[in-house]
Amino acid sequence: MSVIAVVGLATMGMNLARNLAHHGFAVSLYNRTTARVDDFMKQYGTEGAFTPARSPQELVAQLEKPRRILMMVKAGPPVDETIDHLAPHLDAGDILIDGGNSYFLDTVRRGKAVEAKGLRFIGTGVSGGEEGALLGPSIMPGGARDAYTQVEPMLTQISAHVDGEPCCTYIGPGGAGHYVKMVHNGIEYADIQLIAEAYDLLSHALNLGADELSRIFAEWNRGDLESYLIQITSEVLGKRDRATGRPLVDVILDEAEQKGTGKWASQSALDLGIPVTAITEAVFARFLSALKADRQHASKTLAGPNGAIRTAAPASLVDDVRSALYASKMVAYAQGFEQMQAASNEYSWDLELGSIARIWRGGCIIRARFLNRITDAYAQEPSLKNLLLAPYFRDAMASAQGAWRRVLSVAVERGIPVPAFSSSLAYYDAYRRDRLPANLVQGLRDYFGAHSYKRIDRAGSFHTRWSQDGEEVPVR
Ligand code: NBP
């Protein structure tokens, strides 16, 4: 008998099934197109205790009870179709696990529908791509805790481990797991955009080529910025194109694509009223990059500051950009964690933010040395309002801000777009201000719409009859 089934044997399902088998778990395999099951058995059948199934009936007969089925199918309607395909053959208490990148409100809906049938449902984020799935991903499971307990030994064993701790922990009920994965992906968008801006700045302001930039990122990976994304940036920049002999990055088309998790993260932040500027700018930057034809036209039409800049950027710009990247990254993470706290309050998930940072230290795409700092910050102060207020981050921002501002001056003078760098600094500068120009915003709103305003010196709401007698009147 198998202890778990994997349904959906594309990149992720195939590698997770192999990972489970490598850890000694007997795994049943099923896929809508059964040829994939046969291909899997031919290629990997000897790696572990695999049992192929060609129908849902065959699959359920192979599984120990309560049955545990990990679905790794394309997000969206395929998940509903797979549930509908399998559920009629399952018994009360059996557990369906959706390990794809599902939208968290779909997970809430599916959880309720599945539980109404007497089954149990787990919606789990899995990060790490192909390699992570095979060698140890970061796993973010959400749903009923009793269902999680039934799969915990498997999920923790196949997850990545850092300092002997698994990169898997129970996240919370309902859609909590997929929500946290969505914010993870949003932060990944922001991280990638910040790296791209650093690359763009150094290549344009200092005229550095891909090989030199590859060396710079490799150097940065030995310091505070040490992370998977910085490491692979160095590798991508160092790669030569076989066909042309040029750096491969120079022949890759500059149109970024996306699958939607960053957009969902931004949409949810807007719904929650949380200023998640770095992720949202990263999503917008991808949209703008996709307007290639428009940009090509505009590049010949719209004026920039080129030619006006005579002074060469100093070589110290490299260090400044490193500091600016680190500071902007801290803002992106602070915003993402604030968003998760807001969602936790809104949906009553009781998220443990320090534990989330802990399970992102290994396996996932945003794994980074500095996640330890986030775990430490929440360990010291579990009700921390904003990561930037924690002593480590407060001090790191204070020491990076000079470089950050110099970098933005260089970018603005030279017309180099740095939306994530600059919106992160604007967020920092706004967040640390006790008085913002929202007083004028309120005055204008009251002028044209009688929306009223509050005063700094008296309680209550007020309206001024701006264009009539100019009198201020209290609003009840
Ligand atoms: P894909 O997202 O490419 O999905 C392919 C799988 O979905 C195949 O097994 C396919 O079956 C199945 N499928 C489709 Br398409 N429509 C179906 C339907 N109507 N009913 C049943 N099965 C259906 O696979 P993936 O890249 O392995 O990703 C799986 C999940 O993990 C996705 O949600 C993805 O977003 C997420 N994820 C992916 C990565 C990554 O790096 N790729 C990382 C993290 C998370 P078929 O063989 O019959 O067409």
Side-chain angles (χ1 to χ4, degrees):
M1 296 290 272
S2 300
V3 292
I4 191 164
V6 177
V7 172
L9 297 175
T11 309
M12 293 298 285
M14 186 171 73
N15 286 295
L16 284 168
R18 294 172 66 203
N19 187 349
L20 282 159
H22 297 171
H23 283 85
F25 298 110
V27 185
S28 279
L29 305 166
Y30 182 64
N31 193 79
R32 176 182 64 171
T33 309
T34 49
R36 268 201 207 263
V37 180
D38 300 331
D39 290 348
F40 183 102
M41 290 306 290
K42 261 188 229 135
Q43 256 191 298
Y44 307 114
T46 55
E47 285 186 10
F50 296 115
T51 311
R54 284 176 185 76
S55 69
Q57 292 89 335
E58 230 181 281
L59 184 75
V60 298
Q62 295 169 2
L63 290 170
E64 272 180 17
K65 288 187 182 176
R67 299 182 183 93
R68 289 163 279 213
I69 300 180
L70 173 59
M71 299 179 291
M72 292 306 302
V73 300
K74 197 178 180 67
V79 179
D80 295 302
E81 286 167 34
T82 304
I83 294 171
D84 291 345
H85 189 57
L86 298 172
H89 307 281
L90 297 174
D91 294 320
D94 288 350
I95 302 164
L96 282 168
I97 309 156
D98 173 16
N101 275 338
S102 292
Y103 182 54
F104 77 103
L105 291 177
D106 285 342
T107 302
V108 173
R109 169 180 59 75
R110 288 175 187 137
K112 286 183 184 151
V114 164
E115 280 156 21
K117 296 181 206 288
L119 307 174
R120 293 183 282 179
F121 193 71
I122 293 174
T124 183
V126 178
S127 176
E130 183 174 7
E131 189 185 290
L134 180 63
L135 302 175
S138 175
I139 306 180
M140 296 149 247
R145 196 184 267 278
D146 69 305
Y148 173 67
T149 311
Q150 298 285 331
V151 291
E152 183 174 19
M154 290 178 219
L155 296 187
T156 50
Q157 280 186 57
I158 66 163
S159 74
H161 284 70
V162 175
D163 299 336
E165 293 177 307
C167 292
C168 171
T169 190
Y170 176 68
I171 300 290
H178 277 137
Y179 193 92
V180 167
K181 174 61 168 33
M182 176 186 81
V183 175
H184 164 285
N185 283 27
I187 292 175
E188 176 188 310
Y189 273 56
D191 239 341
I192 291 173
Q193 175 63 23
L194 291 167
I195 288 171
E197 290 178 17
Y199 150 77
D200 198 39
L201 256 161
L202 293 179
S203 41
H204 284 93
L206 289 179
N207 239 335
L208 299 179
D211 290 338
E212 180 59 22
L213 288 165
S214 169
R215 277 189 288 278
I216 288 171
F217 276 93
E219 176 62 34
W220 288 357
N221 199 39
R222 287 189 275 275
D224 287 336
L225 279 171
E226 181 189 325
S227 60
Y228 173 70
L229 282 170
I230 295 285
Q231 176 214 318
I232 66 169
T233 299
S234 170
E235 290 177 27
V236 169
L237 290 167
K239 178 85 179 159
R240 288 267 153 189
D241 175 36
R242 288 224 173 91
T244 61
R246 296 173 61 193
L248 181 59
V249 73
D250 290 349
V251 294
I252 294 178
L253 183 68
D254 56 326
E255 284 183 41
E257 295 178 7
Q258 50 194 316
K259 287 196 168 167
T261 41
K263 186 180 78 177
W264 291 344
S266 302
Q267 285 171 330
S268 168
L270 288 171
D271 289 341
L272 293 167
I274 301 297
V276 177
T277 58
I279 296 173
T280 309
E281 285 296 353
V283 174
F284 287 159
R286 290 197 192 186
F287 290 161
L288 227 160
S289 81
L291 304 175
K292 177 78 174 174
D294 297 3
R295 290 190 287 113
Q296 280 175 324
H297 174 67
S299 71
K300 298 182 188 74
T301 311
L302 300 180
N306 298 343
I309 302 300
R310 307 248 181 272
T311 52
S316 59
L317 186 69
V318 175
D319 276 342
D320 280 356
V321 171
R322 179 179 46 73
S323 297
L325 178 54
Y326 194 46
S328 305
K329 182 180 165 108
M330 286 187 272
V331 167
Y333 280 70
Q335 293 176 343
F337 276 77
E338 202 177 357
Q339 174 171 355
M340 288 191 288
Q341 184 59 60
S344 181
N345 298 342
E346 175 74 17
Y347 301 109
S348 306
W349 284 334
D350 209 11
L351 296 182
E352 282 181 35
L353 300 183
S355 302
I356 292 169
R358 188 169 46 73
I359 65 162
W360 287 352
R361 290 179 308 160
C364 67
I365 304 300
I366 63 170
R367 60 186 182 260
R369 179 203 279 201
F370 104 128
L371 284 159
N372 273 324
R373 305 287 191 179
I374 301 182
T375 306
D376 292 348
Y378 284 110
Q380 278 158 22
E381 200 182 333
S383 59
L384 188 62
K385 278 294 292 169
N386 185 313
L387 262 183
L388 300 179
L389 299 172
Y392 170 80
F393 293 97
R394 179 197 62 205
D395 296 347
M397 297 298 282
S399 64
Q401 63 157 332
W404 202 7
R405 294 179 197 284
R406 286 193 294 277
V407 164
L408 282 163
S409 305
V410 168
V412 170
E413 272 179 10
R414 284 165 170 72
I416 301 169
V418 281
F421 271 29
S422 55
S423 71
S424 298
L425 179 59
Y427 171 87
Y428 177 69
D429 281 338
Y431 190 71
R432 63 182 189 80
R433 278 274 293 275
D434 71 339
R435 188 158 168 82
L436 287 169
N439 48 340
L440 179 58
V441 173
Q442 286 298 82
L444 294 171
R445 291 179 70 245
D446 188 58
Y447 188 111
F448 64 72
H451 293 302
S452 80
Y453 51 86
K454 294 194 172 72
R455 297 181 55 99
I456 58 173
D457 53 358
R458 259 183 285 149
S461 291
F462 301 89
H463 167 59
T464 287
R465 295 191 289 247
W466 301 91
S467 50
Q468 295 152 31
D469 58 5
E471 283 299 308
E472 181 181 78
V473 290
V475 178
R476 281 170 230 297

